[in-house]
Structure formats: C-alpha cells, structure tokens
Amino acid sequence: CDGRPGYSPLWRMVGEVGLCARHRWNLEAVSVSWLGSLIGASSAYETGDDKRDAAYDEARQMDQQAEQEVAVGTFNVERLKKRAAEIRSSQKAKSAAYGQSSTDATSMAIDQETVQNASMDQLIEMAMAEERARTLRKDAEQTRLSGEYTRREYRLGGTATIIGGINDMARTA
C-alpha cells in the first residue's frame, strides 16, 4: 500500500481507499461515531445560530419598547402642559369672578405655584420615561450579548464533538 500513488499517512486515519479489489474501503476506520460527530456538530452550530437569532429578535423588540416609552413620556408631558394651562386659565377666571386682579399677589402666587408644580410633574414624567427606556436598552444589549455567548458555547460544543470524533477515529485506525 505504501507504494500507491496518492497514499499518505492521513488515509490511515480515515480509512484506506483501494484502487483495486484488494484495497477496498475500510469502513471500520471511518467509524459511525465520526459521522455522528459531524452531524452532532452541525446541529450544535445550527442551534447556536438559532438561539443567537432569537436573542437578537428579542433585543430588537426591547429597543422598540424603549422608543415607545420615550414617545409615551413625551405624550404625557404634553398632556400635563395642557392640563396645567387649563388649571391656570380656570384659576384666572375664578379670580376675575371674585373681583381679584391678575396682578394681585395671591393670584400671582397661586399661578406661580401651579406653573412650578406642572413643570416638576413634567420633568418627573420625562425622567421616568427615559429611565424606563434606558433600562430596556440596557436589557436589550444584555440579551444580544447573551445570544452571542450562547452561540459561542454551542459552537465550542460542536467543535469539541468533532475533536472527540477525530480522537475516536484515530484510536480505531
């Protein structure tokens, strides 16, 4: 066999391929476990990719939720502004109905307090919306990283399966 054209020691590991009837496939050298290792590794790679893709989809949804949180916060701030304007208008109308001037110290103090409270409520609302959005974005990034690590873990498992199959094959050769 050593004198055959194209013969190399590598063939001893995967089985000798004969050029004549005397040199037939040595199926015992190419073990079933090696083929199973290849199939298992392929499956592990595919599963890792699927899990990573699922994590990215989940992260994309979290990013969309974060954008929605900011939009809802902005909407609520506008609603608070309108409500504050309604309250101020109502207070001015009541003051005028009781004969108070809009420059009266009491009316101005009430108006100023209403503006301050409304401004504080608006700031708090926007800060809470931004915090919820920041948390969602952070969770989305964590989910992406988790997906990448899971993919790597499955790929390493698949590679270990291939190496184990090569090791089994080398032992049988």
Side-chain angles (χ1 to χ4, degrees):
C1 290
D2 291 287
R4 280 192 295 166
Y7 176 78
S8 72
L10 179 63
W11 285 110
R12 193 171 298 251
M13 290 178 63
V14 296
E16 294 180 8
V17 178
L19 299 176
C20 63
R22 202 177 103 201
H23 299 102
R24 300 186 196 241
W25 284 91
N26 184 355
L27 294 178
E28 292 176 25
V30 180
S31 67
V32 174
S33 68
W34 166 244
L35 296 175
S37 297
L38 291 176
I39 293 169
S42 174
S43 175
Y45 286 2
E46 209 171 297
T47 301
D49 290 346
D50 290 345
K51 288 190 179 284
R52 188 225 24 223
D53 293 345
Y56 270 75
D57 288 342
E58 184 180 347
R60 205 172 4 263
Q61 289 175 353
M62 288 178 178
D63 286 335
Q64 288 173 351
Q65 284 178 316
E67 290 174 16
Q68 290 171 353
E69 285 292 336
V70 172
V72 167
T74 303
F75 174 80
N76 286 339
V77 165
E78 290 301 317
R79 189 177 49 81
L80 288 170
K81 281 182 187 178
K82 286 180 183 177
R83 181 68 184 136
E86 290 170 359
I87 290 171
R88 289 179 66 205
S89 176
S90 174
Q91 287 172 342
K92 286 180 183 179
K94 286 179 184 176
S95 294
Y98 290 114
Q100 293 179 339
S101 168
S102 62
T103 59
D104 182 37
T106 304
S107 295
M108 290 178 66
I110 291 172
D111 188 52
Q112 188 176 18
E113 185 176 341
T114 301
V115 169
Q116 287 174 346
N117 286 340
S119 296
M120 185 59 70
D121 289 345
Q122 292 168 18
L123 288 172
I124 289 171
E125 179 64 34
M126 201 62 210
M128 288 172 48
E130 288 174 357
E131 178 61 23
R132 288 188 300 266
R134 188 187 68 75
T135 300
L136 282 167
R137 286 186 189 110
K138 183 179 175 186
D139 290 348
E141 185 59 29
Q142 192 66 31
T143 301
R144 279 187 203 90
L145 288 174
S146 175
E148 284 297 329
Y149 289 133
T150 300
R151 178 178 179 250
R152 287 181 186 158
E153 185 177 304
Y154 274 88
R155 286 198 170 257
L156 286 173
T159 303
T161 301
I162 290 172
I163 291 170
I166 291 172
N167 189 26
D168 289 345
M169 189 176 59
R171 275 189 261 150
T172 59

